[in-house]
Amino acid sequence: MLWISLVQIVLVLGLAVSGFEYFMKRRSAEGEEKKTLAVHFLIRIAVLSAAMFGLDYFFG
């Protein structure tokens, strides 16, 4: 089950990179673009979190 832990580490790193990317883009964005960036970031968090939960639930 080592591969599950490795996949979860990759998913957590994906969350970290996504968050860093969001905050860097947000600094230069204006108005409606900030809202769009926020929605995309929340969708990424939801998908990656669901993937981690699924791995724990089905294989953990």
Side-chain angles (χ1 to χ4, degrees):
M1 293 303 196
L2 177 65
W3 68 273
I4 294 173
S5 297
L6 294 174
V7 170
Q8 286 181 332
I9 289 170
V10 169
L11 290 173
V12 168
L13 289 175
L15 275 172
V17 168
S18 180
F20 179 74
E21 178 187 12
Y22 166 71
F23 287 112
M24 293 305 288
K25 284 183 178 180
R26 187 174 179 264
R27 294 172 100 185
S28 62
E30 294 179 8
E32 192 66 31
E33 189 179 3
K34 279 188 179 185
K35 291 178 185 174
T36 303
L37 284 172
V39 169
H40 287 180
F41 180 62
L42 291 175
I43 290 171
R44 283 184 188 175
I45 288 176
V47 168
L48 291 173
S49 298
M52 287 178 54
F53 174 76
L55 280 173
D56 275 344
Y57 185 76
F58 291 111
F59 298 106

